[in-house]
Amino acid sequence: MMLDPSTPQDGPDQLVCSAKGCRRPAIWALRWHNPKLHTPDRRKTWLACDEHRQYLSDFLDARGFLRDVAALE
């Protein structure tokens, strides 16, 4: 069976978008924390593809959780 190179492949080293149902490779790290649950220095990370970066950022920002967005290296 040949794999289609345009289809994202999951693997142990493949980081995928955190948006529900998305399996695209992640290229953004959205760092956030919930001040009611986490200490001020703790950061959680959601990963995002280009398509879902804004949606996930808006979701976290509306709740006051978003701290920063950075490109994955």
Side-chain angles (χ1 to χ4, degrees):
M1 178 172 109
M2 287 188 71
L3 296 176
D4 181 350
S6 65
T7 304
Q9 301 299 314
D10 292 340
D13 296 330
Q14 181 67 48
L15 299 175
V16 297
C17 181
S18 297
K20 185 177 181 178
C22 185
R23 303 305 302 160
R24 289 187 181 103
I27 56 175
W28 298 99
L30 288 68
R31 295 184 186 96
W32 62 278
H33 90 276
N34 181 338
K36 291 182 181 178
L37 301 176
H38 307 129
T39 59
D41 61 328
R42 179 154 183 214
R43 293 292 181 269
K44 305 273 290 183
T45 302
W46 280 0
L47 302 175
C49 64
D50 263 339
E51 181 179 337
H52 292 111
R53 176 184 173 235
Q54 192 62 51
Y55 171 78
L56 294 172
S57 293
D58 290 347
F59 179 90
L60 292 168
D61 196 40
R63 289 152 180 80
F65 296 170
L66 187 63
R67 296 299 172 247
D68 66 270
V69 177
L72 289 175
E73 296 181 18

